Amino acid sequence: MTDARAAGRARIRSLYLHIPFCERRCEYCDFVSLPGRDREAEYVEALRSEVRGLAARLGRLELDTVFVGGGTPSFVDPDRLGGLLDEVRAGFVLAPGCEVTLEANPSSTSEGRAAAWLEAGFNRVSLGIQSLEPDILTFLGRVHDRERALAAVGEVRRAGFSRISCDLIYAVPGLDDTRWRSTLERVAALGPGHVSAYELTVEAGTPLHASVRRGEKPAVDPEAALRQHRIAVSVLRAAGLHQYEVSNYAQVGEECRHNLVYWRRGHYLGAGLGAHGHLPAGVGTLVDVPVPPGAIGIRYWHGRSLPAYVEGSRAGVLPIEGSEAVTAADAEAERILLGLRLAEGIAVSRPLGERADALVAAGLLWRRDGRLGATAQGQEVLDEVIRQLVT
Amino acid sequence: MPSVLRDDIRNFSIIAHIDHGKSTLADRLLEVTGTVALRDMQDQLLDTLDLERERGITIKAQAVRMEYTARDGRPYELNLIDTPGHVDFTYEVSRALAACEGAVLVVDATQGIEAQTLANVDLALEHDLEIIPVINKIDLPAADPELVRREIEEVIGLPGSGAILASARQGIGIEEVLEAVVARVPPPHGDPEAPLTALIFDAKYDAYRGVVVYVRVMDGSVRPGERIRMMATEKEFVVDEVGVFRPVMTPTDGLTTGEVGYLIASIKNVRDSKVGDTVTLADRPAAAALPGYRHVTPMVYAGIFPIDSDDVQELKEALEKLNLNDASLVWEPESSAALGFGFRCGFLGLLHMEIVQERLEREFNLALITTAPTVAYRVRLRSGEVIPVDNPERLPDPSAIDEIEEPRCTATILVPSAQVGTVMELCQERRGEFRNLEHQAGDRVALTYDLPLGEIIHDFYDQLKSRSRGYASLNYELTGFRAERLVKLDIMVGGQRVDALSMIVHRDRANLHGRKLAERLRKLIPRQLFEVPIQAAVGGKIIARETVSAMRKDVLAKCYGGDITRKRKLLEKQKEGKRRMKRVGSVEIPQEAFMAVLQMDED
């Protein structure tokens, strides 16, 4: 193995595993998810086989973070999740303090299951609460209710998890500012170390998108979105959760290290249906991804068809559907578009240029200690700020 | 009167209002006479530009020689000159008609006589042409040939009984048209022994052969090797080749009195063979040029700027190439604080402008911003000097101006009587002065107004069409200049004056214009990071104000591992969109905004 490869391998310290099953598909979800668990056993087997394949090709890499997302991973038999982590431990070395996160929904959470997750090796749970308002949960197509949501946090904690995150959604049509504030306050009172608060995004291809287009459901009110974003920042800050990314809040030290890898343009392996990965260019050929000249990195992804995934895995190939080369220019664009989402901003060494100077002068960006970041005001219109910067 | 030279030649044009079926009739004539084999036939054969076929309009004149054996058993040589069918090209039409002895007047049986029908008939009568009315599209359910026949009699004053009923699409009446041309159009007269006079009715540039000059020989003859002189431009050339259109160019030994054909003489530039000019022999020149030559001046001016300032050289080369074939397009470099370097272009009219713009974008793949069109004003300075101003930016300081004169024209509008009220309202709104109203057959009215040309080029035609439910037709003719209280209206966006949005308006209409323009711009300029004030001002005084409010929230909620590629791609696409905007100060102004003045009456 060449030095470049060895160095490249050492830079991969994160692994994402995708579980596509859900009790039912949420109205707004555009992740790969399949209702029911009919093919759970063969899928998890295929996923384990991909993990084995990665380990065989890359050698025993040391991992800092593992994230099992979905879909609804908690919906899967806890023993099978345990088997999956066994496979990860067999092929990789989990560094001391490795963050191992499981995404869970309140409806498939219980104290017993949570204990099994902890036993399996997970040490962080991200709970998809989304809302505590019945009409909003119905609008979103969620299967749980307020009581279940609140209970789930207690169950996970009692089972022994100290790192808990709660996902919430705002700007849902019908959600007024008062109810949003009270949702935030009630969730914050449960004491999670991490909260994600997302503006409802109506993605093309989702059932919600179709309903909105047909006029059956109202569209997101941009004014409400702005107000409720500001409410989230202030309520969560008061609860000791600082905003470290556009939609993410945490106590100091409780930030999601796995997600920080994405935003800091780090490398990661992705396995499972629809999963994406980001590798140093030197490593690409190890996973059978073409590396064109001029590429400094490779982003690759899996297809969204379960039969094809299972088939490919059985045939012993890595079921990667596509990839793209990341050039130095692409990387710089990514660094800006991802890094400015973070409170810490990005490192800048050269003069910024006229556009950035104007944005700093206008109070949309800040610059200090060799770093550039978005102010609270700049963050609200970050996509436009990024469009101005990336030219 | 010189003797008849060849009584087997007939030179004729087809004239019609746009869409009345002129090109289709020409196609049928070519087919029936076997000039073009059926297998080579394509629709609108004489319209050679893509744009002409697509939009169903004729821009360039064309000529074709047909051989036809008439019912009298004799073979005839029929020269058809196809003419452009739009008011922008009235002069070109008049020259094509001057090359003929007869005209086939096509009138749509469902539409009747329209404004351009009248204008074309007037032109034909001026040249003393034999007019053969053809009532076309008689196969359509809505056809009313008898009403149209009455119109021809009452409105034009031609015997309606002589009108031929036809359907060019169905091939009905085609032979009758040919027979009428033979029987009614007089053969050409002229003196083959006299010094050469040949009328240029068009010219086109061929990359391999130089300029191909379309001529009708009035007197004398011309052969290859002879030295010719263009009487207006006084340029001389040696003839390389002469020939006729069958319809492809076919060389002949010479062109003689009465014939229609082409000549090629190593002419590099169409400007040296101007439509209407007379070709004579350098060694034996004619005493006088043929009448009717006019130096064509543009009616409408606009700035054309590349969106990407790096394209300015390419734009210049594209304009030069268009000029090879279109001498009526004039341009000079212009620089705008808002739009950078570009060209001030002069056009024969709005259609001409649209065509040029479209060809630049399509044939040369350029992304352009065209500013709102304006007319050429005549500005009398206090110093006594008179200067033409075709760009609002060039208007001298008001303190130096004695008065501003604007071009006026006589507009003829034909409209169903039910809509005459709303059309008169439109003319009043546009500062028109009523001249005449005449009732015509078919419950129609011919209105005559004296109107400022500047008003006609600002969305007048579209308004006329929409207010008359599509039924009104318009023709106009420049009459002269008149002093008016005109002022410059300035637009400020984000506190910065945008020179390319300035316009010259009547003082009494300045407030209304300012308000509407500001409002329209507010709708066209997308929300930006900051609030963008839009102001309209006359002489430094703000007369209207609008605000584009700042963007509220624009940030992707989730951006995780799988979203990164998608987000970067989206960003690249949006950057492309931004390229179609022009940055003025800190504000991004979309392309359409610079044409906003044109659609102010839409709302």
Side-chain angles (χ1 to χ4, degrees):
Chain A
M1 190 171 292
T2 65
D3 288 350
R5 272 191 182 172
R9 283 174 59 245
R11 274 152 58 200
I12 307 170
R13 304 188 62 84
S14 291
L15 170 66
Y16 175 81
L17 300 169
H18 191 81
I19 301 288
F21 305 105
C22 283
E23 266 176 273
R24 63 174 278 199
R25 193 187 170 93
C26 294
E27 293 287 308
Y28 56 91
C29 178
D30 76 327
F31 282 79
V32 178
S33 85
L34 304 161
R37 300 171 45 188
D38 297 352
R39 310 193 62 176
E40 181 184 300
E42 58 173 330
Y43 176 76
V44 174
E45 204 36 64
L47 182 54
R48 289 180 64 159
S49 142
E50 188 183 0
V51 170
R52 259 197 312 280
L54 285 172
R57 286 150 190 264
L58 296 167
R60 274 174 69 83
L61 296 180
E62 188 177 65
L63 299 178
D64 283 331
T65 72
V66 177
F67 196 106
V68 181
T72 312
S74 58
F75 188 43
V76 167
D77 184 337
D79 289 343
R80 260 199 263 280
L81 290 174
L84 183 59
L85 283 194
D86 287 342
E87 198 72 70
V88 172
R89 277 186 294 262
F92 297 83
V93 177
L94 299 195
C98 180
E99 176 189 277
V100 188
T101 303
L102 178 78
E103 274 188 348
N105 272 353
S107 53
S108 49
T109 295
S110 68
E111 198 170 331
R113 288 173 88 93
W117 300 334
L118 192 71
E119 178 64 30
F122 291 99
N123 55 27
R124 186 173 180 275
V125 173
S126 173
L127 271 171
I129 306 254
Q130 316 311 3
S131 180
L132 296 178
E133 302 293 329
D135 56 320
I136 302 303
L137 288 166
T138 306
F139 182 98
L140 296 172
R142 300 292 288 191
V143 283
H144 63 265
D145 58 17
R146 175 193 301 175
E147 285 63 40
R148 183 86 286 278
L150 295 172
V153 180
E155 289 158 4
V156 173
R157 177 163 294 132
R158 280 197 301 279
F161 279 95
S162 60
R163 300 192 66 194
I164 301 172
S165 176
C166 296
D167 278 10
L168 298 173
I169 297 184
Y170 64 87
V172 181
L175 179 66
D176 61 37
D177 296 356
T178 316
R179 293 202 292 159
W180 170 237
R181 182 181 292 275
S182 102
T183 298
L184 285 164
E185 283 166 351
R186 293 187 69 168
V187 168
L190 299 171
H194 190 284
V195 169
S196 303
Y198 301 109
E199 175 184 333
L200 175 65
T201 309
V202 183
E203 297 280 1
T206 59
L208 178 60
H209 185 259
S211 311
V212 170
R213 213 184 37 206
R214 285 195 299 265
E216 294 163 7
K217 286 185 176 176
V220 171
D221 168 14
E223 290 300 319
L226 180 62
R227 286 194 314 270
Q228 293 181 9
H229 167 72
R230 290 174 179 173
I231 290 170
V233 174
S234 87
V235 171
L236 295 173
R237 185 194 294 127
L241 299 164
H242 71 101
Q243 187 196 15
Y244 71 101
E245 193 260 358
V246 169
S247 306
N248 286 277
Y249 305 79
Q251 292 166 358
V252 175
E254 280 296 301
E255 297 86 358
C256 177
R257 278 158 43 200
H258 184 85
N259 289 339
L260 280 170
V261 169
Y262 298 145
W263 298 319
R264 288 172 176 160
R265 273 202 86 252
H267 299 101
Y268 51 94
L269 292 166
L273 216 54
H276 286 236
H278 178 212
L279 306 175
V283 179
T285 48
L286 286 182
V287 291
D288 305 332
V289 167
V291 181
I296 62 164
I298 292 292
R299 292 195 182 274
Y300 70 90
W301 50 90
H302 293 73
R304 298 172 75 118
S305 151
L306 187 131
Y309 181 80
V310 170
E311 197 67 30
S313 160
R314 277 194 190 131
V317 294
L318 290 176
I320 290 171
E321 183 189 67
S323 65
E324 63 156 7
V326 180
T327 65
D330 294 337
E332 182 56 16
E334 287 180 0
R335 200 173 75 89
I336 294 169
L337 81 88
L338 294 168
L340 289 183
R341 296 181 66 86
L342 293 171
E344 65 187 28
I346 54 175
V348 281
S349 45
R350 288 172 291 121
L352 296 178
E354 224 174 278
R355 294 275 174 93
D357 286 342
L359 292 165
V360 171
L364 297 171
L365 292 176
W366 53 256
R367 186 184 194 187
R368 58 179 174 263
D369 309 328
R371 295 190 78 80
L372 181 73
T375 62
Q377 195 198 342
Q379 201 179 59
E380 291 168 357
V381 287
L382 188 63
D383 287 4
E384 176 61 22
V385 169
I386 290 166
R387 282 192 286 272
Q388 304 250 335
L389 284 177
V390 181
T391 45
Chain B
M1 172 70 70
S3 62
V4 171
L5 175 76
R6 280 182 54 188
D7 64 0
D8 63 331
I9 296 181
R10 300 291 182 274
N11 298 320
F12 73 104
S13 285
I14 309 181
I15 51 178
H17 190 78
I18 200 156
D19 274 345
H20 279 201
K22 182 168 63 71
S23 296
T24 314
L25 178 61
D27 287 353
R28 289 299 95 79
L29 296 180
L30 295 180
E31 241 175 66
V32 168
T33 55
T35 311
V36 179
L38 217 48
R39 61 167 191 282
D40 297 329
M41 197 65 209
Q42 60 181 129
D43 279 356
Q44 294 167 255
L45 193 97
L46 295 184
D47 293 340
T48 47
L49 295 170
D50 280 351
L51 258 178
E52 292 183 314
R53 288 221 179 87
E54 240 169 70
R55 300 177 52 158
I57 50 173
T58 306
I59 302 164
K60 298 286 285 179
Q62 296 285 343
V64 61
R65 172 186 286 197
M66 302 179 283
E67 275 154 20
Y68 176 66
T69 305
R71 285 180 190 150
D72 64 10
R74 293 179 55 199
Y76 289 88
E77 175 189 318
L78 310 181
N79 292 308
L80 162 62
I81 299 176
D82 191 19
T83 58
H86 191 273
V87 57
D88 284 5
F89 308 104
T90 303
Y91 173 70
E92 283 73 4
V93 176
S94 83
R95 292 307 84 205
L97 293 180
C100 299
E101 280 78 33
V104 170
L105 171 71
V106 180
V107 185
D108 187 322
T110 68
Q111 307 284 323
I113 285 168
E114 309 245 27
Q116 275 163 250
T117 320
L118 284 182
N120 284 327
V121 166
D122 284 347
L123 282 177
L125 292 175
E126 254 172 55
H127 293 95
D128 230 0
L129 302 193
E130 175 67 30
I131 298 177
I132 302 168
V134 172
I135 301 173
N136 191 27
K137 306 194 189 177
I138 55 159
D139 58 313
L140 293 185
D144 190 348
E146 286 319 305
L147 177 64
V148 175
R149 205 191 283 278
R150 243 178 61 218
E151 277 191 342
I152 288 170
E153 224 154 86
E154 290 172 22
V155 181
I156 305 182
L158 292 171
S161 57
I164 297 165
L165 298 183
S167 162
R169 204 159 289 282
Q170 302 286 335
I172 302 167
I174 308 304
E175 290 229 18
E176 283 76 359
V177 172
L178 289 166
E179 287 297 322
V181 168
V182 167
R184 284 152 69 178
V185 175
H189 292 265
D191 181 357
E193 304 306 326
L196 172 71
T197 51
L199 174 67
I200 301 177
F201 61 87
D202 203 0
K204 73 167 186 201
Y205 182 80
D206 180 292
Y208 302 103
R209 324 202 55 186
V211 177
V212 178
V213 188
Y214 290 51
V215 291
R216 152 74 196 270
V217 180
M218 308 306 281
D219 284 308
S221 61
V222 61
R223 280 180 188 77
E226 286 180 318
R227 193 168 184 80
I228 50 167
R229 177 187 299 160
M230 308 300 188
M231 295 185 78
T233 60
E234 296 186 332
K235 293 265 170 69
E236 294 189 3
F237 304 94
V238 174
V239 176
D240 299 326
E241 181 183 314
V242 299
V244 296
F245 303 96
R246 290 173 179 275
V248 289
M249 294 198 290
T250 311
T252 57
D253 295 342
L255 285 177
T256 183
T257 304
E259 287 191 300
V260 172
Y262 67 89
L263 59 87
I264 293 171
S266 306
I267 303 171
K268 298 278 183 298
N269 197 321
V270 277
R271 284 179 202 286
D272 294 332
S273 61
K274 294 193 163 172
V275 171
D277 199 353
T278 304
V279 184
T280 191
L281 293 178
D283 300 337
R284 194 184 162 219
L290 297 164
Y293 172 75
R294 222 174 65 201
H295 177 68
V296 180
T297 51
M299 295 266 255
V300 172
Y301 296 83
I304 296 186
F305 296 85
I307 289 185
D308 183 345
S309 49
D310 292 344
D311 288 346
V312 71
Q313 185 58 29
E314 257 175 84
L315 172 57
K316 181 167 179 251
E317 282 161 21
L319 285 168
E320 279 166 356
K321 282 197 184 128
L322 288 190
N323 255 163
L324 290 176
N325 239 335
D326 180 0
S328 56
L329 169 67
V330 300
W331 46 276
E332 58 175 26
E334 176 182 5
S335 105
S336 149
L339 300 179
F341 289 104
F343 299 92
R344 192 76 190 166
C345 302
F347 310 95
L348 297 177
L350 287 183
L351 178 73
H352 188 214
M353 172 171 126
E354 235 178 89
I355 290 165
V356 168
Q357 190 186 342
E358 212 169 311
R359 292 187 66 185
L360 287 172
E361 296 203 325
R362 272 164 45 159
E363 292 169 31
F364 300 92
N365 201 20
L366 291 162
L368 303 172
I369 285 179
T370 307
T371 62
T374 175
V375 296
Y377 296 91
R378 232 156 48 183
V379 178
R380 196 175 299 279
L381 300 176
R382 288 197 195 281
S383 65
E385 198 190 340
V386 178
I387 55 166
V389 172
D390 59 36
N391 182 348
E393 269 313 286
R394 299 265 184 83
L395 197 66
D397 189 82
S399 62
I401 297 175
D402 182 22
E403 57 182 16
I404 306 176
E405 296 177 348
E406 63 177 348
R408 312 273 307 188
C409 55
T410 299
T412 310
I413 300 165
L414 295 195
V415 61
S417 48
Q419 275 104 38
V420 72
T422 158
V423 168
M424 288 179 80
E425 245 168 59
L426 173 66
C427 293
Q428 302 293 348
E429 281 167 28
R430 299 305 185 89
R431 302 189 284 122
E433 286 168 13
F434 176 78
R435 287 284 179 271
N436 195 27
L437 182 153
E438 221 173 279
H439 288 279
Q440 299 189 336
D443 203 21
R444 283 205 307 180
V445 169
L447 280 173
T448 314
Y449 268 86
D450 180 79
L451 273 157
L453 181 64
E455 296 285 347
I456 288 195
I457 66 165
H458 278 166
D459 196 34
F460 184 82
Y461 189 66
D462 286 347
Q463 282 296 312
L464 184 67
K465 280 285 182 197
S466 84
R467 294 196 194 191
S468 67
R469 299 194 198 126
Y471 285 116
S473 62
L474 165 75
N475 196 69
Y476 58 87
E477 208 178 324
L478 204 62
T479 47
F481 284 80
R482 188 208 283 179
E484 281 288 350
R485 293 193 304 137
L486 299 166
V487 292
K488 182 160 144 246
L489 176 67
D490 284 321
I491 296 291
M492 270 95 70
V493 176
Q496 205 166 325
R497 199 173 71 83
V498 183
D499 54 3
L501 286 171
S502 293
M503 59 193 289
I504 293 173
V505 297
H506 195 269
R507 181 71 202 100
D508 297 346
R509 306 237 301 148
N511 282 11
L512 182 74
H513 268 301
R515 245 190 352 259
K516 283 192 167 171
L517 185 51
E519 216 178 279
R520 183 109 197 111
L521 287 170
R522 175 173 56 77
K523 290 177 187 161
L524 287 171
I525 296 175
R527 286 185 170 204
Q528 325 240 329
L529 287 173
F530 317 100
E531 196 175 271
V532 179
I534 298 167
Q535 296 156 304
V538 169
K541 184 172 162 261
I542 307 291
I543 56 168
R545 184 191 303 267
E546 292 278 344
T547 308
V548 179
S549 39
M551 195 175 270
R552 301 295 283 163
K553 187 164 188 278
D554 180 18
V555 54
L556 190 66
K558 292 187 177 191
C559 195
Y560 295 104
D563 304 313
I564 297 168
T565 297
R566 186 158 63 139
K567 175 69 183 162
R568 202 186 64 231
K569 295 256 160 77
L570 182 68
L571 199 61
E572 277 159 19
K573 227 169 85 187
Q574 288 168 333
K575 256 164 54 186
E576 210 42 54
K578 273 192 184 291
R579 245 173 239 149
R580 296 196 77 80
M581 305 242 235
K582 205 77 195 184
R583 216 178 157 82
V584 177
S586 60
V587 183
E588 281 164 332
I589 304 180
Q591 221 179 348
E592 314 86 77
F594 294 94
M595 292 287 276
V597 272
L598 277 185
Q599 293 115 31
M600 280 194 297
D601 286 333
E602 245 178 34
D603 315 293

